[in-house]
Structure formats: structure tokens, C-alpha cells
Amino acid sequence: MIEVMGILNVTPDSFSDGGQHNQKEQAVAHALQMIEEGATIIDIGGESTRPGAASVDVQEELERVIPVVKELAKYNVKISIDTSEPEVIKQAVQAGAHIWNDVRALTRPHALETAAALNIPVVLMHMRGEPTTMNQLAYYNDVMQEVLRELKEKIKLALEAGVKADNIIVDPGFGFAKNTEQNIEILKQFEQLKVLGYPILAGLSRKRFVSEIADDRITGSVIGHLLCVQKGAQIIRVHDVKATVAALKMWKAVEK
Ligand code: 7PM
């Protein structure tokens, strides 16, 4: 079964007006709408991973994320946390979260041992450097081969630290240390990711390279995610759940 992961931003810039309570209410309402539209996972992110973004204070990230996790834990949905901080995922799991989505692939201090101890699914995403430096590191001779090699290294470190193979999910990291041409190459050769032998997550929702290719970023994202699913993705991380689910239904109707 293909799983649709709905993106829930709880960064201050993602709310129309201030106030902690109001922010939580808005975030929960948005999550419930995505669940109704067919999302089976909600990915909660309290750190802006925007290129050039300042890293968020851990305490602040906890204050944004934990109240929303507690509320969503009452519903029949898997909760994923987009964080690189062991302390954030630990507290989120206590509050009811199920999946660790780490764009830094367990590179922060104590991340590997925390992932092993929590014994939950972990998304290992490909990136180089940090969101602040990644654009200077977008140099490859063969982008897919290098992404595969670098993901294999992260998988090896995770397994050596005691993360169970059954808990590993891989992600090529569209838009992270990759320019438009390189993102297209990843999309073109997406099937190669299957050689790793783990479930694959793809996230290209509303990313800049999609707007550059398709002009309409929502249509471009829906089709981009469908291409990834056809090439082997099991989880897609999206903003536009309703349109994505419709596309998946069209595909499923004709799939052998
Ligand atoms: C600004 C720039 C805000 C970039 C948000 C982003 C991924 C992810 C993100 C992904 C996985 C976005 C990104 N992207 N987690 N978190 N895979 N696993 O566009 O591609 O959503 S944050």
C-alpha cells in the first residue's frame, strides 16, 4: 500500500497570526483535514530546514511540536516528526509519535543510539552539509550513484549502532544539495533506489525545482510524486493530499 504523508509545519512563519494556543488549534485542524483527505501519516516539523535558515533552539522546537503530537495521538494516524534532535524525538515518542524523519540522517550527537533505543521507523534522507551550506555542495559526477553511496554509508552507521533493518526508510532528499538538473536526474533514475533494499520515501512537494519545471508547483508536485510511486516509492511526503490521493486512485485503477 502506498502511504501519503501529509506535511504539517508548525514553524512560526506557517501561521497567520501569533498566540501559542491558536497555532496549535490551526495545526491540528490542518492535520485532521489531511487525514480526512487520505493521509495515513502526518509529518510534524518545528524546525525550518529552508536553505540558509537558522537552526531552531531545541526548547522552542519542543514547545511547537509536543502539544500538537499530544492532540493528534488521539486519532488513528501515524505521527512522524521532522527533526534532527534526539531530545525532540524522545519527547515526541513519549507524547505518542511513531516515526523519526531526519533530514540529517542521524548525524547529530547521540542520534544513532537514540534511534536504536527508540526502536521506531527512521527516515534516512540524503543531504550534504547543513541546510545553510548544502547549496555549495551540489557537485556530483554521477548524482544517483553518489546519493546511493552516501545513503549506504548512513545505513551502515545506523545498523552498526543497533537500528533494526526493518526500521529503516530511505529518501534521496529532493532539493537538498541538488540543483534542478540533479533533481531531474534523481527522478529519472528513481528506480535505482530499490537496490538499497529498504522502503523509499519521496518528497518533492512544492519544491523550487518543481516550479521551475512545471510552472504550476501543485500540478508538478502531484505528477512528480506519481512518477516516484510508479518507480518504487512507498511513501510520499506531500502538502496537497487531496489532489495526490486522486492521482494515486487513477494509477491504481489501471495498475496490473
Ligand atoms: C523550506 C525548505 C521549508 C525546504 C521546508 C523544506 C523533506 C523532508 C523537508 C524531504 C524528508 C520541504 C522542506 N523536505 N523530509 N523535510 N524528505 N524525509 O520542502 O524531501 O518540505 S523540509
Side-chain angles (χ1 to χ4, degrees), residues 47 49-55 84 103-104 107-108 127-137 176-177:
E47 185 213 10
T49 30
R50 179 169 297 119
S55 65
S84 298
V103 299
R104 292 180 185 78
T107 53
R108 286 259 169 97
M127 171 166 62
R128 284 179 176 175
E130 281 284 312
T132 45
T133 59
M134 64 184 183
N135 291 340
Q136 291 129 259
L137 302 169
F176 287 86

Side-chain angles (χ1 to χ4, degrees), residues 49-51 82 101 103 123 125 171 174 176 201 203 207 237:
T49 30
R50 179 169 297 119
D82 192 340
N101 176 25
V103 299
V123 180
M125 195 195 78
D171 179 341
F174 282 111
F176 287 86
L201 186 151
K207 288 186 179 177
R237 180 181 175 278

Side-chain angles (χ1 to χ4, degrees), residues 43-49 55-58 61 65 80-90 92 99-115 118 122-125 127 129-131 176:
D43 187 44
I44 307 174
E47 185 213 10
S48 182
T49 30
S55 65
V56 181
D57 180 67
V58 174
E61 195 178 339
V65 169
S80 148
I81 310 294
D82 192 340
T83 187
S84 298
E85 269 305 317
E87 194 52 37
V88 172
I89 191 64
K90 270 194 242 172
I99 300 169
W100 187 356
N101 176 25
D102 187 3
V103 299
R104 292 180 185 78
L106 308 178
T107 53
R108 286 259 169 97
H110 308 296
L112 286 162
E113 67 209 58
T114 302
L118 289 173
V122 182
V123 180
L124 300 177
M125 195 195 78
M127 171 166 62
E130 281 284 312
F176 287 86

Side-chain angles (χ1 to χ4, degrees), residues 33 70 82 150 152 166 172 190 196 200 212 238:
Q33 164 147 16
K70 284 186 176 159
D82 192 340
E150 289 163 25
K152 276 182 196 164
D166 281 352
F190 196 89
L196 296 171
I200 305 163
E212 284 176 10
V238 315

Side-chain angles (χ1 to χ4, degrees), residues 131-204:
T132 45
T133 59
M134 64 184 183
N135 291 340
Q136 291 129 259
L137 302 169
Y139 295 93
Y140 303 85
N141 288 312
D142 182 330
V143 64
M144 183 52 100
Q145 285 314 309
E146 290 172 51
V147 165
L148 288 173
R149 196 200 318 127
E150 289 163 25
L151 277 175
K152 276 182 196 164
E153 191 54 38
K154 303 296 185 208
I155 292 164
K156 182 168 172 274
L157 292 171
L159 293 171
E160 283 170 1
V163 173
K164 290 184 186 140
D166 281 352
N167 279 331
I168 293 176
I169 298 164
V170 294
D171 179 341
F174 282 111
F176 287 86
K178 291 152 200 97
N179 63 30
T180 294
E181 187 194 352
Q182 292 157 350
N183 287 310
I184 293 169
E185 197 56 32
I186 297 287
L187 191 48
K188 200 165 165 180
Q189 296 189 47
F190 196 89
E191 275 175 288
Q192 285 284 315
L193 291 158
K194 291 196 266 188
V195 305
L196 296 171
Y198 295 94
I200 305 163
L201 186 151
L204 46 78

